[in-house]
Amino acid sequence: MGTAVKPETEGKQRLSDWRMAVKSATYVIATLAMLAPCGLENAHAQIRAKADVSCQPAEKLQYDCIIKLANARTSEPLSGLTLTVGADMPSMPAAHNMRPVKATEEQDKGTYRARIALEMYGDWALRLELSGTVRDRVVKLLRFESDRVGEATPAPGRHRH
Amino acid sequence: MDDYLIGVLSNIGVISFVALSAYLLLLTGEISFGQQAFFAIGAYAAGIATALWGWSLAAALVWGAAVSGGAALLVGVPTLRLHGLYFAIATLAFAEMVRILFELFRYQISIDGELIGPNGTDGFRNIRYIFDHNIDAFQFLLLIYSLLAAAMLGLLLLERSRLGVIFRMIGQDETLAELQGIPVARRKVLAAGIAGTLAGIGGGLYAHLTTYVEPRIFDIMLGVHSLAYGLIGGLGTAFGPLLGVLIDIGLLESIRALAGYRMIIFGGLVALLLIVRPRGLLDEMVVHKIGRGWRRVSLWARRSSLKPRGNSA
């Protein structure tokens, strides 16, 4: 690199550097400002869902999950929804994730069943995507092992305080 | 568009921010294992702003970017006087410190009878802005790529500017740059601040995309990957880290047969590329050749359009 910067031009150069930094920041802020209207829509009083998930090992790395969906405020079962179940590994965001599968509704109100196939054992965040009359997402953290599925706990060596 | 495809594309877009952040520091010759910390700060700050304070998404993203950029500037002042291995270890230590702080961080507010907010190791759930405001997955994907395009434009302009040349100059030979009268420490702190801001925007988007964050998302794996994206994709242009993200999340993700072996393949790919192409696929030489080829093609096109044509009438 043959760019020589003379000390006497340093003031000008500093000014141009800051101009560039301000320009870049302006682009980002301008884009955000243009997109701001999507944040100014009125928040809808959406129904919030809660889920109770229990999974059992079926085949190798495959699990049968029973999902009970209910209204978080009234605890009324939520039925007639389209439910898809996806999963991410929290320890590697965006890398290990499972193609979402559609859950089928059982006869019991608000009860759904899905079979999920994971890449490996360990802690997974199950993403329950609800659509239809209620649009919501519920995330449940579970530990999937070869013979059982339980609550995910912090990794060994990390303490709860 | 298929929901799964939207999900993968959204992930590529969001992770690109942290990859660009690590790339900017690589340009100045510093290897940072700590960019995930600014991604985390951006995610928590923006998530708190919408979920607890009721801010709009745009304001929350600006806030997340500002907090993480400010944190990067603060961290940059003491650490950027370190070099090489010492800097890498300092950034790693900082990132772990931030992660552990988030494991201890509790700030919950009761909203509609439900406690919402960061809750230590249990993470921060219910960042429900996109659901409360009826923003569908495709609209959010557009938001991610609009911001990524703005960030890329900023970076490409930066690379063509005097400041971009100075960043590369510092990366090539810091002592020589100092001898030329460049205030190296100040420029590196500026680079760290811009890098932190980029990671913060990515973090804010990530929190709203997934609606859930927890400290272990931001561990060393994310830092190593963000660094590797630049090293795989190339350090010749800001498109390099995006190519790295595309190869990892796009290509390897699409080959489901690889499943659990993906990380092994990814690690092998990094090792191989560091031997064969130490500055990545799109290194300075390749970028120069592409630029020269493009100039030739445009010159040829201009000349052929200026040639007198026979009158067919």
Side-chain angles (χ1 to χ4, degrees):
Chain A
M1 298 278 179
T3 311
V5 182
K6 291 175 188 168
E8 63 265 28
T9 60
E10 199 190 306
K12 272 186 185 174
Q13 176 208 323
R14 202 179 301 160
L15 192 68
S16 98
D17 291 352
W18 283 110
R19 260 188 211 147
M20 177 51 65
V22 169
K23 248 187 213 174
S24 306
T26 312
Y27 287 126
V28 175
I29 290 166
T31 312
L32 286 171
M34 277 190 289
L35 296 161
C38 70
L40 296 175
E41 286 171 29
N42 291 328
H44 299 270
Q46 297 275 8
I47 294 175
R48 292 191 181 195
K50 64 177 181 182
D52 184 21
V53 182
S54 62
C55 297
Q56 291 295 325
E59 292 171 38
K60 193 187 176 193
L61 287 169
Q62 292 196 11
Y63 298 85
D64 281 324
C65 295
I66 302 286
I67 301 141
K68 291 184 177 175
L69 293 178
N71 186 322
R73 292 190 190 100
T74 62
S75 295
E76 274 177 37
L78 294 172
S79 52
L81 303 176
T82 303
L83 173 68
T84 54
V85 184
D88 288 302
M89 253 191 153
S91 55
M92 188 51 236
H96 285 295
N97 54 52
M98 184 197 96
R99 183 181 276 275
V101 290
K102 202 172 168 182
T104 51
E105 193 168 0
E106 301 279 281
Q107 286 196 333
D108 285 351
K109 262 193 151 186
T111 305
Y112 299 78
R113 177 187 287 272
R115 173 169 284 199
I116 56 170
L118 303 174
E119 290 175 1
M120 59 181 77
Y121 300 117
D123 289 353
W124 287 82
L126 285 192
R127 268 184 294 108
L128 311 174
E129 300 272 353
L130 285 64
S131 55
T133 50
V134 176
R135 185 170 166 257
D136 201 3
R137 178 186 294 152
V138 182
V139 178
K140 299 296 275 187
L141 268 176
L142 294 172
R143 173 164 289 176
F144 290 87
E145 291 173 29
S146 57
D147 55 341
R148 61 184 283 276
V149 179
E151 284 285 312
T153 50
R158 295 173 197 173
H159 308 284
R160 279 177 182 275
H161 295 265
Chain B
M1 208 189 280
D2 175 26
D3 280 352
Y4 180 65
L5 182 61
I6 292 176
V8 172
L9 290 176
S10 301
N11 284 338
I12 289 173
V14 166
I15 297 296
S16 293
F17 281 96
V18 72
L20 285 173
S21 157
Y23 161 79
L24 196 58
L25 283 177
L26 278 172
L27 277 193
T28 62
E30 297 300 352
I31 291 179
S32 167
F33 284 106
Q35 293 316 102
Q36 71 275 23
F38 307 112
F39 191 71
I41 292 169
Y44 273 84
I48 286 170
T50 57
L52 303 188
W53 302 339
W55 289 16
S56 76
L57 181 59
L61 291 177
V62 172
W63 164 247
V67 173
S68 52
L73 284 175
L74 283 178
V75 175
V77 172
T79 55
L80 283 165
R81 294 187 185 275
L82 303 171
H83 303 284
L85 189 62
Y86 301 102
F87 177 76
I89 290 172
T91 52
L92 176 59
F94 169 73
E96 281 299 285
M97 195 179 82
V98 168
R99 189 182 57 73
I100 291 165
L101 279 176
F102 279 126
E103 285 191 355
L104 302 172
F105 180 48
R106 284 182 175 81
Y107 170 43
Q108 292 193 298
I109 290 177
S110 176
I111 298 172
D112 292 339
E114 198 179 353
L115 278 176
I116 291 174
N119 186 25
T121 50
D122 288 338
F124 180 6
R125 299 176 196 219
N126 287 316
I127 306 169
R128 299 169 37 90
Y129 187 90
I130 61 170
F131 293 99
D132 288 343
H133 291 79
N134 273 333
I135 299 170
D136 66 29
F138 186 71
Q139 285 173 322
F140 201 73
L141 178 75
L142 289 180
L143 171 69
I144 292 169
Y145 279 90
S146 306
L147 288 176
L148 186 60
M152 280 300 290
L153 183 69
L155 274 179
L156 290 173
L157 286 172
L158 178 92
E159 285 189 334
R160 291 170 73 94
S161 71
R162 188 183 189 86
L163 184 61
V165 173
I166 289 173
F167 282 167
R168 283 193 185 274
M169 196 175 175
I170 294 170
Q172 292 288 323
D173 195 326
E174 208 175 302
T175 315
L176 189 61
E178 197 126 37
L179 286 171
Q180 300 254 4
I182 291 169
V184 171
R186 266 210 308 268
R187 293 293 167 272
K188 284 171 81 172
V189 169
L190 179 63
I194 300 171
T197 306
L198 281 173
I201 297 171
L205 289 169
Y206 180 81
H208 289 89
L209 172 71
T210 57
T211 71
Y212 159 79
V213 286
E214 65 162 304
R216 76 178 136 171
I217 289 174
F218 311 107
D219 72 1
I220 178 69
M221 278 292 274
L222 182 59
V224 170
H225 270 74
S226 56
L227 196 59
Y229 293 141
L231 293 173
I232 290 176
L235 302 177
T237 166
F239 285 107
L242 299 197
L243 179 66
V245 180
L246 265 177
I247 290 172
D248 182 35
I249 301 179
L251 181 70
L252 298 184
E253 175 71 32
S254 58
I255 307 168
R256 301 305 295 180
L258 297 176
Y261 306 105
R262 244 184 60 192
M263 288 299 138
I264 300 168
I265 294 168
F266 185 73
L269 193 64
V270 175
L272 184 74
L273 275 167
L274 283 176
I275 296 165
V276 183
R277 295 185 72 89
R279 288 187 72 81
L281 292 170
L282 290 175
D283 61 8
E284 287 84 348
M285 194 66 84
V286 171
V287 171
H288 178 68
K289 279 181 185 167
I290 292 170
R292 203 171 51 186
W294 176 253
R295 277 193 295 277
R296 275 185 192 164
V297 169
S298 57
L299 192 69
W300 174 81
R302 212 179 306 154
R303 275 182 188 159
S304 60
S305 69
L306 287 174
K307 266 184 190 170
R309 288 174 195 165
N311 196 347
S312 56

